[in-house]
């Protein structure tokens, strides 16, 4: 007799399934979307959340770490906040409800809810694989977001801020964004919480760059100290397209930010820079995969982690170079300041190369603050806490300064980092 083992659901898994059941008649979608939602939630119910036995989740045992999920609250409301960079065009999503006003010329946008209702969103709700827990949760529960298209040849003069503000409860958003040939833009995807009550947030961005597009995309995560944030960005780079992707994690209790991309056009280039600021008993995981599919593509990734208190950080990075992707140039580095005996950082950089004419490399370092440099500052009369903060700021500053062409943006991001260090250093 064959017996299938029944997995007993955890409190968090039960809460997610119950959230879907409670909203069953209210979640937007046509027949195809609703059928796909049913499948995604059924898979979540039968397989459960990933554990450390799943290789891509080995350092973030979501089933153990996610102990509870707050109930969805349709009445929750968040006020729109000031733009990160003064003068930016702001499109906001507050507790899942999109606000599309004041679009610059050359951009079209509509609420993602409309895409769910007319069924055009169905194809994009597919998961990336059996281990795609974020895609499964988001696809099953997504209510809104923004679908944006930047027209061919358009150059945005000011940043476009996608502002995702949550007060409490749950929020599940989606951002399909396409950039036409030769388009040039700076986009700030900003996630923040305005309430001390716990929030559970999932967000997926699908970004497509056509030939010659040049985009700076910044993900700034500033959730509350009790919040869970599960984020994912997927991107595809066309011929000669350039994407400068910048990630700052400066909040949240349990955070997983996934980055999955393809360099599918010759001459395409990815520059990834990430700063992870970890304190308290938080857990932050950045997982990155990039597939170089064609010849003459380049990528560069630098991850900087600062870990205080009992926090735990994770970086998993994997670069795949296909057999036909000759002349690929790919470099990846993960550098960490571990500033407490109880702090922890797990780094797993990987290269999988099937081509024979490439330049690829990866590395990782972990260290404390240089005590010679600290002594120098102390000898100049600088208090120790301020001296340590100065050294930490210098460790991450060179990453931010790569955005030197936009002084206002650099100043805003440096302000976010300084404010976080003031609380934790």
């Amino acid at each position: 007799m064959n017996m299938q083992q029944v997995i007993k659901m955890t409190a968090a898994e039960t809460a997610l399934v119950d959230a879907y059941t409670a909203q069953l008649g209210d979640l937007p979608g046509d027949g195809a979307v609703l059928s796909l939602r049913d499948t995604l939630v059924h898979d979540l119910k039968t397989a459960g959340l990933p554990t450390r036995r799943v290789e891509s989740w080995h350092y973030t045992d979501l089933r153990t770490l996610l102990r509870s999920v707050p109930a969805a609250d349709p009445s929750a409301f968040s006020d729109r906040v000031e733009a990160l960079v003064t003068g930016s065009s702001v499109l906001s999503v507050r507790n899942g409800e999109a606000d599309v006003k004041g679009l610059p010329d050359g951009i079209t946008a509509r609420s993602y809810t409309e895409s769910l209702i007319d069924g055009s969103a169905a194809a994009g709700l597919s998961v990336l694989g059996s281990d795609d827990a974020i895609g499964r949760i988001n696809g099953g529960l997504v209510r809104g977001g923004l679908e944006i298209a930047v027209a061919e040849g358009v150059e945005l003069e000011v940043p476009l801020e996608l502002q995702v503000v949550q007060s409490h409860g749950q929020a599940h958003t989606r951002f399909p964004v396409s950039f036409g040939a030769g388009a040039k833009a700076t986009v700030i995807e900003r996630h923040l919480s305005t309430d001390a009550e716990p929030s559970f947030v999932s967000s997926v961005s699908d970004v497509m760059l056509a030939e010659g597009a040049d985009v700076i995309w910044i993900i700034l995560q500033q959730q509350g100290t009790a919040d869970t944030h599960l984020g994912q960005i997927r991107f595809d780079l066309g011929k000669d397209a350039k994407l400068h992707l910048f990630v700052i994690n400066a909040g949240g209790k349990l955070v997983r930010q996934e980055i999955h991309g393809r360099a599918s056009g010759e001459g395409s280039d990815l520059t990834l820079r990430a700063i992870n600021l970890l304190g308290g008993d938080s857990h932050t995981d950045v997982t990155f995969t990039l597939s170089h599919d064609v010849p003459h593509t380049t990528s560069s990734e630098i991850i900087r982690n600062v870990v205080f208190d009992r926090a735990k950080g994770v970086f998993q990075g994997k670069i795949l170079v296909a057999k036909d992707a000759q002349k690929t140039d790919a470099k990846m580095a993960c550098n960490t300041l571990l500033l407490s005996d109880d702090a922890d950082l797990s780094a797993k950089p990987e290269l999988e190369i099937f081509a024979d004419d490439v330049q690829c490399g990866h590395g990782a370092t972990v260290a404390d603050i240089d005590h010679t440099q600290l002594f120098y500052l102390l000898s100049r009369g600088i208090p120790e806490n301020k001296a340590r903060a100065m050294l930490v700021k210098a460790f991450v500053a060179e990453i931010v300064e790569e955005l030197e062409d936009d002084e206002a943006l650099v100043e805003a991001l440096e302000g976010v980092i300084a404010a976080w260090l003031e609380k934790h250093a």
Side-chain angles (χ1 to χ4, degrees), residues 326-349:
Q326 305 293 345
K327 304 296 183 181
T328 292
D329 188 341
K331 297 177 177 64
M332 177 167 54
C334 176
N335 311 117
T336 302
L337 281 181
L338 213 56
L339 302 177
S340 165
D341 291 339
D342 297 321
D344 184 81
L345 190 286
S346 299
K348 185 187 176 187

Side-chain angles (χ1 to χ4, degrees), residues 261-268 290-299 319-330 351-360:
R262 305 183 72 89
S264 57
E266 287 198 37
S268 59
L290 175 65
S291 177
H292 288 266
D293 294 342
V294 296
H296 301 284
T297 58
T298 56
S299 67
I319 296 175
L320 172 65
V321 182
K323 183 178 180 179
D324 295 332
Q326 305 293 345
K327 304 296 183 181
T328 292
D329 188 341
L351 291 171
E352 191 170 326
I353 303 172
F354 296 95
D356 55 17
D357 185 8
V358 301
Q359 293 185 13
C360 298

Side-chain angles (χ1 to χ4, degrees), residues 15 92 107 111 157 187 200 206 242 248 264 309 347 355 395 407:
S92 65
I107 296 181
S111 170
E157 296 181 357
V187 178
F200 180 88
D206 290 285
K242 298 182 185 300
I248 295 182
S264 57
D309 308 320
F395 175 68
E407 293 182 3

Side-chain angles (χ1 to χ4, degrees), residues 111 282 318:
S111 170
S282 63
K318 184 175 183 178

Side-chain angles (χ1 to χ4, degrees), residues 11 80 92 111 258 265 269 317 320 346 349 404-405:
R80 183 166 163 169
S92 65
S111 170
E258 294 184 357
D269 174 72
L320 172 65
S346 299
E404 60 185 357
D405 291 341

Side-chain angles (χ1 to χ4, degrees), residues 258-327:
E258 294 184 357
I259 303 162
H260 302 296
R262 305 183 72 89
S264 57
E266 287 198 37
S268 59
D269 174 72
L270 168 71
T271 301
L272 169 64
R273 299 293 184 262
I275 296 173
N276 299 307
L277 304 173
L278 285 65
D281 59 354
S282 63
H283 180 108
T284 298
D285 177 337
V286 174
T287 292
F288 162 75
T289 63
L290 175 65
S291 177
H292 288 266
D293 294 342
V294 296
H296 301 284
T297 58
T298 56
S299 67
S300 169
E301 298 83 33
I302 299 177
I303 314 298
R304 294 284 167 91
N305 307 294
V306 180
V307 193
F308 289 90
D309 308 320
R310 300 171 306 285
K312 180 173 181 178
V314 177
F315 171 68
Q316 299 181 107
K318 184 175 183 178
I319 296 175
L320 172 65
V321 182
K323 183 178 180 179
D324 295 332
Q326 305 293 345
K327 304 296 183 181

